[in-house]
Amino acid sequence: MATITTTDGTEIFYKDWGSKDAQPIVFHHGWPLSSDDWDNQMLFFLGEGYRVIAHDRRGHGRSSQTDAGNEMNTYAADVIELAKALDLKNAVHIGHSTGGGEVARYVARAEAGRVAKAVLLGAVPPMMMRSDSSPAGLPPELFDGFRTALIANRAEFYREIASGPFYGFNRDGAKVSQGLIDNWSRQGLMGGAKAQYDCISAFSATDFSEDLKAIDVPVLVMHGTDDQLVPFGNHAPRSVALLRNGTLKAYEGLSHGMAATHPDVINADLLAFIRS
């Protein structure tokens, strides 16, 4: 099992497939999942000749079940260490949901030459929770409820998210995949409860506005208009407005988990952006 050990002693699991001479694409997963959530995309882009990399965020998947450092600054620092250890240059970083926040913070701080482009897919920037800087955000009580549900019955809480709003399976006429539901729950329960509890604050209460303003590489913002977890209107257009070189691509009626429910559509658009 491939891992790096960070300066604070955390083991970060990663996958690294393909020629080390090929352009790297780095995938950043959402809460409370793991690098396995990107299996479809990793296999697709491997077949297109790219080097594909994905890591399990600290506290998630096969990485250390940390009780500290479960916040965006440390998440980004972990990626900085991973990029250095693997000597990643001219990489494309693709982040979904919480992973999009991680990408924004990392890319804003990355060493020159490390990053070529970035993608924010159903991503949490600029900010999820209602605040003075984000008055249209979601109420803090919603995220308090997440924490309460996680403590009460993490397995049931994760089942409800996966079988309902994450993939839009609660919508009339939705084509439900039990495999996706089961795999989502499996990934979530692999990680540590403490880290995933802390991560709720990381994805909901972090303001990424200054990160977005600092990014100077091209960024594609992809978002489903029926995203029930990270609402389209409060995220995608606001992120593009803050980016120096951002492009918005909206997907009518698609959900937060559109990369899994519609991989052919998403993969084709990702490939076109990377090649452009």
Side-chain angles (χ1 to χ4, degrees):
M1 203 166 73
T3 64
I4 65 163
T5 302
T6 66
T7 52
D8 72 351
T10 300
E11 286 195 351
I12 302 293
F13 168 85
Y14 67 92
K15 307 173 187 181
D16 183 0
W17 305 341
S19 170
K20 303 305 179 284
D21 295 326
Q23 184 178 18
I25 302 176
V26 185
F27 296 93
H28 304 245
H29 65 80
W31 174 92
L33 304 174
S34 74
S35 57
D36 293 353
D37 202 44
W38 289 111
D39 282 351
N40 181 288
Q41 283 71 37
M42 290 188 69
L43 290 168
F44 173 82
F45 283 99
L46 179 66
E48 293 292 331
Y50 292 91
R51 178 184 180 185
V52 292
I53 297 150
H55 69 290
D56 292 355
R57 186 173 301 115
R58 64 168 55 216
H60 296 66
R62 288 140 294 204
S63 293
S64 298
Q65 293 197 7
T66 46
D67 65 348
N70 304 304
E71 35 73 28
M72 281 294 165
N73 286 338
T74 304
Y75 294 161
D78 291 344
V79 179
I80 288 172
E81 293 199 46
L82 181 67
K84 184 176 181 179
L86 300 183
D87 194 25
L88 302 182
K89 299 173 182 174
N90 197 37
V92 179
H93 285 262
I94 301 173
H96 174 236
S97 195
T98 301
E102 181 178 274
V103 165
R105 183 136 300 180
Y106 165 71
V107 173
R109 301 179 178 192
E111 293 179 311
R114 293 284 187 200
V115 180
K117 295 180 179 180
V119 179
L120 306 180
L121 195 159
V124 298
M127 185 173 181
M128 286 197 77
M129 193 168 69
R130 184 182 302 151
S131 68
D132 291 342
S133 63
S134 182
L138 298 171
E141 296 78 18
L142 175 67
F143 303 106
D144 291 339
F146 281 11
R147 283 182 279 266
T148 299
L150 187 151
I151 291 171
N153 189 334
R154 185 166 62 129
E156 179 61 20
F157 178 42
Y158 289 177
R159 186 198 65 78
E160 289 174 356
I161 295 172
S163 61
F166 193 93
Y167 297 114
F169 291 158
N170 55 343
R171 297 305 198 200
D172 291 342
K175 183 180 179 182
V176 177
S177 167
Q178 190 61 47
L180 283 179
I181 295 169
D182 292 345
N183 191 42
W184 201 99
S185 296
R186 175 192 69 82
Q187 291 178 68
L189 293 172
M190 285 172 66
K194 174 63 165 60
Q196 292 173 356
Y197 179 95
D198 292 348
C199 189
I200 294 171
S201 290
F203 71 67
S204 66
T206 303
D207 189 340
F208 298 96
S209 298
E210 295 306 314
D211 300 298
L212 296 174
K213 293 176 186 178
I215 295 171
D216 58 6
V217 299
V219 181
L220 177 62
V221 178
M222 311 170 78
H223 217 109
T225 63
D226 193 35
D227 191 323
Q228 299 172 63
L229 296 178
V230 182
F232 176 88
N234 200 41
H235 292 273
R238 291 180 62 219
S239 288
V240 169
L242 292 169
L243 289 161
R244 302 185 202 178
N245 188 2
T247 301
L248 172 60
K249 192 164 184 65
Y251 295 84
E252 187 64 33
L254 294 195
S255 70
H256 191 59
M258 62 185 183
T261 59
H262 294 77
D264 292 348
V265 173
I266 300 304
N267 293 352
D269 288 346
L270 285 171
L271 182 61
F273 172 68
I274 292 168
R275 286 180 171 174
S276 66

